[in-house]
Amino acid sequence: VDPAWKCFVFMIPWTPCIGYRRLWQGGLIKHGKSALAPVVMYVRLASAFLFLWLGYTFQPFSGAALGGAIMGMVAVVGMLMAFILVRPTLRSLKNEYFQIESNHIVLSANKSELSYSQMVRFYMPLAITSMVSLGVRPILNFGIPRGSFPVDSLAAWPVVLSYVSLYTAVSQSQQEIVIAEMSGKSYKFLQRFVTIVALAITVLFLVNWFVLPVRSIIF
């Protein structure tokens, strides 16, 4: 309980920082600067290696707590990097969406403003999608130790989960892209693109799924 509690405490910044990072990345994607989104990931990856090296060298915490601390710090770095990259876009948006009248900043008349109820209706299906995909993991973690060969299963499960994540990572951005780019003209193109990506990932995963066991038997 104690190692898990410390890990949770260190990961408190994770959720809000991830939310703000995706907000700024959404601004980049919406305004044709999606090429900058990977820059945020490169900085996060580099900072993760740096924090991991420092943690391994000085060992201030146990393994789980150190992992939680690194995840929390990396989330903060990603949020700050995304904000730095989106600042020029934000300055242009101020001129586009707002006007100065009598020393007061007002919303431009040709821009619509969402109400909280509209935002909630738009947001809830997206939030539920992430909750379902992520919520199944602790359920499996609860059941694996109570099944057959619990030690072997617990050792193999993180490896399998990470391996599957390599494939799902390609499709996780599709939701954001569709939201940012969907319109009447681009709907069919996005539908075709998502279908092709889904089929390609599935085929590649199945090929590796069947090839790896054969390789292990031969060698």
Side-chain angles (χ1 to χ4, degrees), residues 16-180:
C17 289
I18 291 296
Y20 271 99
R21 174 178 63 79
R22 289 179 176 270
L23 171 65
W24 305 135
Q25 285 182 325
L28 293 173
I29 294 171
K30 182 66 176 178
H31 292 82
K33 297 182 179 180
S34 59
L36 294 177
V39 176
V40 180
M41 299 299 104
Y42 298 149
V43 173
R44 289 182 66 194
L45 186 61
S47 62
F49 278 113
L50 174 63
F51 294 144
L52 182 61
W53 176 78
L54 292 174
Y56 180 78
T57 302
F58 299 101
Q59 298 186 0
F61 313 112
S62 62
L66 179 62
I70 292 174
M71 295 290 283
M73 290 186 291
V74 167
V76 174
V77 171
M79 177 194 67
L80 295 176
M81 190 63 196
F83 179 70
I84 292 173
L85 293 177
V86 82
R87 286 189 67 184
T89 302
L90 291 180
R91 284 194 291 267
S92 65
L93 286 179
K94 290 180 181 179
N95 299 328
E96 179 182 354
Y97 282 82
F98 297 92
Q99 298 175 348
I100 299 179
E101 297 179 1
S102 303
N103 296 326
H104 294 286
I105 300 177
V106 297
L107 190 68
S108 298
N110 61 336
K111 302 299 180 181
S112 60
E113 186 175 4
L114 287 175
S115 65
Y116 278 106
S117 60
Q118 290 174 322
M119 188 65 192
V120 169
R121 287 197 300 269
F122 175 80
Y123 178 76
M124 283 307 298
L126 306 177
I128 293 173
T129 301
S130 298
M131 289 174 62
V132 171
S133 60
L134 296 176
V136 69
R137 297 181 183 180
I139 297 175
L140 292 172
N141 291 338
F142 177 82
I144 288 175
R146 291 160 178 79
S148 301
F149 307 103
V151 176
D152 296 340
S153 300
L154 287 174
W157 173 238
V159 180
V160 173
L161 187 62
S162 300
Y163 184 76
V164 173
S165 296
L166 291 176
Y167 295 89
T168 58
V170 179
S171 61
Q172 286 176 350
S173 300
Q174 290 183 356
Q175 182 170 276
E176 302 170 10
I177 294 298
V178 169
I179 293 172

